Amino acid sequence: QVQLVESGGGLVQAGGSLRLSCAASGSISSYAMRWFRQTQGKQRELVATISSLGRTWYADSVKGRFTISRDNAKNTVYLQMNSLKPEDTGVYYCNAMPVPDTGTSFWGQGTQVTVSS
């Protein structure tokens, strides 16, 4: 039932930074929060995950450059993206997965990130 709205995307030069936000309509304390991205001609990729307890996971392609965080009091999850590369270009989606897993998760509409070379 939670609704998610992403923001913070835009156009940035290679080497630059962006911070994406995912604002939820209600409490996210019982959700693992995830960021996915969809690049041109590629499958949707899991980028980063933060558990309900704050444990994080990153795809190898972004490890050391991206940081996922959550602020449960603000019902918001963030993705800080540094040292951006053209291959990071795509639509970034926020996803909320109930913990324990119920078999259903919730998606935002996505925000476009474009990195120029």
Side-chain angles (χ1 to χ4, degrees):
Q1 67 172 340
V2 64
Q3 294 181 323
L4 306 172
V5 179
E6 301 95 336
S7 63
L11 176 64
V12 65
Q13 291 186 328
S17 298
L18 287 172
R19 189 178 76 157
L20 306 184
S21 297
C22 174
S25 61
S27 175
I28 62 170
S29 62
S30 63
Y31 292 85
M33 302 299 295
R34 304 184 290 185
W35 286 97
F36 291 78
R37 68 186 180 189
Q38 181 74 58
T39 59
Q40 288 280 14
K42 296 181 66 177
Q43 295 180 335
R44 186 171 295 183
E45 173 190 16
L46 177 61
V47 175
T49 296
I50 185 165
S51 76
S52 60
L53 298 177
R55 181 177 179 179
T56 59
W57 176 92
Y58 300 93
D60 287 343
S61 59
V62 307
K63 194 172 299 180
R65 300 187 297 120
F66 290 12
T67 302
I68 188 171
S69 61
R70 64 192 297 152
D71 188 338
N72 289 345
K74 295 182 178 180
N75 297 330
T76 302
V77 63
Y78 305 95
L79 185 67
Q80 178 67 48
M81 305 186 295
N82 298 327
S83 302
L84 283 162
K85 304 174 180 180
E87 51 262 45
D88 295 320
T89 294
V91 180
Y92 284 70
Y93 297 91
C94 182
N95 174 267
M97 184 179 73
V99 181
D101 187 9
T102 65
T104 301
S105 62
F106 304 93
W107 295 88
Q109 292 296 313
T111 185
Q112 175 71 43
V113 172
T114 303
V115 184
S116 61
S117 61

